[in-house]
Amino acid sequence: MKLRSTLCAVAAVMTVGVMGCGEQPRYYRVSIDRAPLGSMPSSCYSSGSAPTPNDRTTNTVDVEQWVLWDGVEGGKYLEVSDINYPLGDVRVDIDVGGAIVSTEADKPTFTTERVQTGPNRSSRATYTLDKAGDTLEGTIALSYECTGTTACPVASCSASLPFVGRRVSAESMIVVNNGAN
């Protein structure tokens, strides 16, 4: 009788694992092409013209590790690093501090925004996944807007950065701390 109970328990666990809430977290090593930031339009500079670069590094990309997983009701979650990119004389600077929830089911899109006052500024980053399997491809659309006063260095600026990534093998480890010593 014990063997039969054990076999039933193993079968139930395997069934739940196969039929669970989507695929387990997928880890990606991602390269982000920052080249578009080197040729921002003159409207992104307070002087009205782009400076001539004196010092420039070429043929490099930012490298990050991202985690993508399925949520409930077709939703997805994307965990990325904090966002800090220069757009001319302004920055898109957002402390992510967690995962970004998808807003589109067919083509996963993840948007996060930081709103500040004095003057009123809005920084936004939108991650669009064109491909998400063993490889990851898409773009990060960055935008900055400032309204309300003359204290704005730039009224608005935007850029789009392409990224590519490769899925890496990793075992997830969840650490639970109940606060007890």
Side-chain angles (χ1 to χ4, degrees), residues 45 69 120-121 146 150 177:
Y45 297 91
W69 69 95
N120 296 329
R121 296 163 298 197
C146 185
T150 57
N177 182 357

Side-chain angles (χ1 to χ4, degrees), residues 7-132:
L7 288 176
C8 287
V10 169
V13 168
M14 289 178 64
T15 302
V16 169
V18 171
M19 296 175 52
C21 296
E23 202 169 342
Q24 291 300 316
R26 292 159 283 180
Y27 297 84
Y28 292 92
R29 190 77 168 156
V30 179
S31 66
I32 304 164
D33 184 2
R34 296 175 57 103
L37 300 176
S39 58
M40 299 300 298
S42 58
S43 60
C44 291
Y45 297 91
S46 56
S47 67
S49 62
T52 305
N54 310 356
D55 184 8
R56 183 173 78 174
T57 302
T58 60
N59 199 29
T60 63
V61 294
D62 283 349
V63 178
E64 296 184 4
Q65 180 171 301
W66 294 356
V67 183
L68 175 66
W69 69 95
D70 297 330
V72 295
E73 298 179 9
K76 294 187 182 303
Y77 297 91
L78 179 65
E79 187 175 340
V80 298
S81 300
D82 288 343
I83 301 161
N84 191 345
Y85 290 101
L87 298 180
D89 284 342
V90 295
R91 295 191 87 73
V92 172
D93 184 8
I94 304 171
D95 295 333
V96 177
I100 307 169
V101 182
S102 66
T103 55
E104 293 288 328
D106 296 334
K107 190 174 196 175
T109 303
F110 305 84
T111 301
T112 185
E113 182 175 30
R114 178 180 180 193
V115 177
Q116 299 169 285
T117 58
N120 296 329
R121 296 163 298 197
S122 172
S123 297
R124 178 178 293 157
T126 301
Y127 296 74
T128 302
L129 305 183
D130 297 323
K131 185 177 181 183

